[in-house]
Amino acid sequence: MSDTKKGKKLFVKTYGCQMNEYDSDRLFEVMGEIGFSATDDMSKADVIVLNTCHIREKAAEKVYSELGRIKLVRNKRLQEGFDTTIVVAGCVAQAEGREILSRAPVVNIVIGPQSFHRLPDYIFSAEQHKQRIVDTDFPVELKFDHLPERTTKKLTTFLTVQEGCDKFCTFCVVPYTRGGEYSRPVDEIASEARALAKAGTRELTLLGQNVNAYHGADAQGQAASLAQLIEKLADIEGLQRIRYTTSHPNDMTDDLINAHADIPKLMPYLHLPFQSGSNKILKAMNRTHDIDKYIDVIGRMRTARPDIALSTDIIVGFPGETDQDFEETMQLVRTINYAQAYSFTYSARPGTTAANMDGQVPKELASARLQELQALLKEQQFAFNQGVIGQKLPILLEKYGRMDGQLVGRSPYLQLVHVMADKSLLGEIIEVEIVDATRNSLTGQMAGQMGKVDREALV
Ligand code: SAH
Ligand code: SF4
Ligand code: F3S
């Protein structure tokens, strides 16, 4: 089978969260094994994959408009004598399954996020036997056992360590699209991280829907915590920085908080969604934490690592949210003070408990609240960035900038930094003096003549 695929091209468009980005990287590796190489040009692709997201209505609907465009591409290719196999993967695939085939006749294969390692076989069946295939199983065998060694060459890379969710927040589709919570064993993660470091990864972001609930087995079969996992990964040579996302307030244990003080490679950044500042709404959301708990966790984190940059997710317009509830959300944002945040209007999702709750908030009101909230968050983000002007920060240079001679990197606080630097420094951590800041990025100058410096000293 592999011979027939030599020279074939794969195009993947990725929607949604970082977990989907990770899956897409792995999909390229799986398909690489049967001779597919990546293309950025959809019209050159023998296989087109949409790796989809179901979290909000808008995200899910995007898929169907994209399929409309893909149909035109496929028809044009047909006229030129080429076949195209069209695949819907990811969370819309899991949620809508066979329905996609009837709504979008152009689709050949529908495959859920736990089964994409089987795609090479399905492509073969679709092409040879003209079958349309749907696989939305949560298979007993784990996809991770079937994925090839990592070959992705990226300076900053994601690594999924935990998947799925058992928390069932009443607004959320994730427990249905990704299944129950599962933590990968420590050794499996460590060997993947070593392969990535060998291929050039300098910064690794550990992923999970509830990454801090991680409890994978260690070599002795004992459950290891996320902090223990990070400690182990910090020993890997070549790996300079470690991050993790997304965390749940209830799983923010002391050992993880202390890890931020004790492990230099662990970056001072925490994404900790609170969703609503009203205890009444948090209860209706089934978040199982209240505001006091959240403030307490943040306080302990700030004691351990005073410079920690904080980020969060917030939903406005959840069913039953009054002006007073919304004001409490604004108040919590003022109390905590975020470096950045993601905020959304509530979107009713089929199959979730909240979709049938009384008191659905009119769209216009929710949008007005979102605007007010985002204005405050923008102010905080700008102030946070302004706050580092004059500081010398270790910047991991990740890519070329738009201007000649410019490189772009990230600060420990995940801020984008533009700096004039020789391209040989790409992939290095250099010390940069921050001279200017906008809401979205910083401008820096290489501090003195230092250039390449001792990385261990800077992380
Ligand atoms: N596991 C993470 C988040 C997963 S989804 C957590 O527990 O925080 C990412 C974000 O999308 C959520 O934090 C939430 O803010 C938002 N989100 C999820 N479902 C949503 C919905 N139905 N409407 C609007 N926003 C939603
Ligand atoms: Fe969704 Fe809640 Fe699970 Fe996060 S914790 S993935 S918001 S159900
Ligand atoms: Fe979207 Fe699935 Fe991620 S629904 S947010 S792609 S887990």
Side-chain angles (χ1 to χ4, degrees), residues 63-130:
V63 175
Y64 289 100
S65 48
E66 189 65 25
L67 285 170
R69 276 191 290 277
I70 288 175
K71 189 173 163 190
L72 303 178
V73 172
R74 187 209 52 181
N75 290 349
K76 189 149 181 290
R77 279 176 54 84
L78 259 182
Q79 284 167 8
E80 293 161 0
F82 299 111
D83 271 339
T84 317
T85 304
I86 294 158
V87 183
V88 174
C91 291
V92 175
Q94 189 64 42
E96 296 185 6
R98 194 158 290 281
E99 243 180 272
I100 297 174
L101 293 187
S102 38
R103 205 171 147 189
V106 72
V107 173
N108 304 99
I109 300 171
V110 174
I111 192 163
Q114 304 305 346
S115 319
F116 69 79
H117 56 285
R118 298 174 178 164
L119 193 58
D121 290 341
Y122 292 152
I123 298 237
F124 186 72
S125 307
E127 284 181 3
Q128 300 295 311
H129 310 298
K130 301 289 168 224

Side-chain angles (χ1 to χ4, degrees), residues 55-56 171 209 246 273 275 287 313 315 344-345 347 349:
I55 202 85
R56 285 169 289 274
F171 52 80
Q209 268 91 13
T246 291
Q275 314 296 2
R287 283 293 289 182
D313 289 345
I315 297 176
F344 317 93
T345 52
S347 171
R349 306 306 292 130

Side-chain angles (χ1 to χ4, degrees), residues 15-17 19-20 52-55 91 173-174 177-178 209:
Y15 302 82
C17 63
M19 201 148 277
N20 261 12
T52 62
C53 172
H54 200 243
I55 202 85
C91 291
V173 294
V174 170
T177 62
R178 291 272 168 173
Q209 268 91 13

Side-chain angles (χ1 to χ4, degrees), residues 199-255:
T201 292
R202 295 289 160 263
E203 178 176 302
L204 195 59
T205 302
L206 309 179
L207 296 182
Q209 268 91 13
N210 286 287
V211 72
N212 58 342
Y214 176 83
H215 58 277
D218 66 12
Q220 286 74 45
Q222 305 288 317
S225 67
L226 183 64
Q228 288 166 326
L229 176 69
I230 291 170
E231 204 179 331
K232 181 161 171 105
L233 299 181
D235 285 340
I236 295 175
E237 205 185 315
L239 209 58
Q240 300 299 322
R241 291 178 163 187
I242 300 172
R243 303 179 187 275
Y244 61 91
T245 198
T246 291
S247 299
H248 192 284
N250 282 357
D251 298 312
M252 215 59 224
T253 51
D254 281 336
D255 71 337

